[in-house]
Amino acid sequence: MNQQTSRRAVVRTPHGPESIEIVDVPVPEPGQGQVLVKVAAAAINPVDLEVTGGGLHRLGLVTQPEHTGLGADFSGVVEAIGDDVDLAVGTRVAGFVGGFDRDHGSHAEQVVVDAADVAVLPDGMCPNVAASLPLTVTTAAQLLEVLGAVPAEGRRLLVTGAAGGVGAAVAALAAARGWAVTGLARAGDEAFVRGLGVDFTAAPQGRWDVVADTAAMQDEAVSLVRDGGRFVGVKPGLEPDAERGIAVDVVVSRPDGPLLAGLLDRVADGTLPARIHAALPLAEVVGAYQLLAKGGVRGRVVVLP
Ligand SMILES: NC(=O)c1ccc[n+]([C@@H]2O[C@H](COP(=O)([O-])OP(=O)(O)OC[C@H]3O[C@@H](n4cnc5c(N)ncnc54)[C@H](OP(=O)(O)O)[C@@H]3O)[C@@H](O)[C@H]2O)c1
């Protein structure tokens, strides 16, 4: 890598994965409380595909004048620190870049983030595995925070999309908290979902106290909540209408280093799952996005700068 510039994947006029370009930008500098991370691996999430598709631009939610940076999740090594940062250069970390209306992202050789947003990797954790986790597991834990102090014991929770990144983590974390969890997923995902220690359905019948709708089934998922129960979605701004006294909430994930550190420990001790579908070099980022866009992927697609 050249010392003065850093490669980054961006879209200017988004029209699908083919519109992704790799551009050279000046190496970003960490400000106060920030770290420069040399990215080792960076997962592609559904929101990255949405950004490349242009839907969020059309809604006015992405307004970058020049280009929009891609990628949230990353693992890597601290390369430089700003003032008031305790982390040492060389520390292996993981995290995610919050939001999506930004000119930079983690699908890049380097990224600057707040030191408070990163977690130190557990000893021996593979960088690809670490890169596959931050956004999904943090969202899952924060979705359960939305449910707050609801007594978990015996309460019935349906998790739609339980074979996905967020859903699998919600199911595993909720089961550990004492929820009676059913995972809704495709028939072919039964073994994986049951392996999380929860019940499985591909054709839900009846109603649950709470539905965590990580498959974004929206109204269909609301219909699976009992009267007076609770729905928690994953699509801010697109919350389905409340009906039958059902409380409707949505999770909006935000980076949280200490929370992530605890979740990475759970992956390291085997109580939270991690799945990688493929790892491709950053130079093949278009193909990596196309792979995800094709569908049917189980586990994250990871790019390697
Ligand atoms: N609000 C936030 O802050 C936030 C943060 C992170 C993610 N999200 C959103 O959360 C959602 C999940 O993200 P993710 O990373 O977990 O995605 P993912 O890994 O692709 O998981 C989604 C899962 O849902 C399954 N699914 C979809 N429709 C289904 C159906 N009708 N029946 C059974 N299973 C179904 C998918 O299976 P197939 O692949 O077979 O369709 C997939 O296994 C995305 O919409 C993402 O944008 C929101």
Side-chain angles (χ1 to χ4, degrees):
M1 191 195 68
N2 167 328
Q3 291 299 299
Q4 273 75 49
T5 61
S6 181
R7 290 184 309 149
R8 151 185 311 176
V10 303
V11 285
R12 290 178 213 270
T13 310
H15 54 83
E18 300 73 22
S19 55
I20 301 172
E21 297 169 53
I22 296 195
V23 296
D24 285 316
V25 296
V27 173
E29 282 186 22
Q32 184 177 16
Q34 294 185 316
V35 291
L36 173 69
V37 176
K38 182 173 165 51
V39 177
I44 308 172
N45 282 283
V47 67
D48 301 316
L49 267 187
E50 286 181 48
V51 172
T52 59
L56 298 169
H57 291 71
R58 287 189 288 279
L59 287 171
L61 298 175
V62 177
T63 57
Q64 293 301 308
E66 189 175 338
H67 63 231
T68 308
L70 296 171
D73 280 331
F74 63 86
S75 71
V77 174
V78 174
E79 202 173 17
I81 58 172
D83 289 340
D84 304 326
V85 171
D86 280 340
L87 286 167
V89 168
T91 306
R92 298 191 327 137
V93 294
F96 72 92
V97 188
F100 43 74
D101 186 12
R102 41 178 161 73
D103 67 356
H104 64 284
S106 65
H107 298 164
E109 287 179 315
Q110 288 150 315
V111 68
V112 165
V113 287
D114 286 349
D117 292 350
V118 304
V120 176
L121 261 55
D123 287 345
M125 180 170 276
C126 159
N128 292 10
V129 169
S132 73
L133 296 162
L135 179 62
T136 52
V137 296
T138 302
T139 304
Q142 290 172 344
L143 186 152
L144 291 175
E145 280 171 18
V146 169
L147 293 180
V150 177
E153 203 58 50
R155 297 289 298 270
R156 297 176 69 242
L157 170 68
L158 178 71
V159 182
T160 73
V166 179
V170 170
L173 291 171
R177 286 190 187 189
W179 288 87
V181 179
T182 303
L184 167 60
R186 311 285 183 196
D189 292 316
E190 178 167 358
F192 172 77
V193 172
R194 289 197 188 279
L196 301 170
V198 305
D199 282 344
F200 168 82
T201 181
Q205 311 233 313
R207 286 179 168 159
W208 279 260
D209 298 319
V210 179
V211 173
D213 185 26
T214 76
M217 295 165 67
Q218 304 286 75
D219 290 338
E220 198 183 338
V222 172
S223 73
L224 298 170
V225 183
R226 70 158 165 80
D227 293 359
R230 227 163 155 189
F231 168 96
V232 188
V234 291
K235 294 292 182 194
L238 295 175
E239 292 87 335
D241 290 335
E243 57 177 57
R244 298 182 286 108
I246 293 167
V248 171
D249 282 304
V250 67
V251 64
V252 182
S253 58
R254 56 200 183 281
D256 181 334
L259 176 67
L260 177 59
L263 295 164
L264 293 181
D265 285 343
R266 283 176 176 262
V267 174
D269 72 17
T271 51
L272 262 184
R275 291 206 284 182
I276 310 269
H277 177 78
L280 295 166
L282 182 62
E284 293 174 31
V285 65
V286 171
Y289 273 70
Q290 286 170 331
L291 186 60
L292 187 61
K294 241 179 15 190
V297 165
R298 290 296 176 264
R300 298 288 99 159
V301 176
V302 172
V303 292
L304 309 173

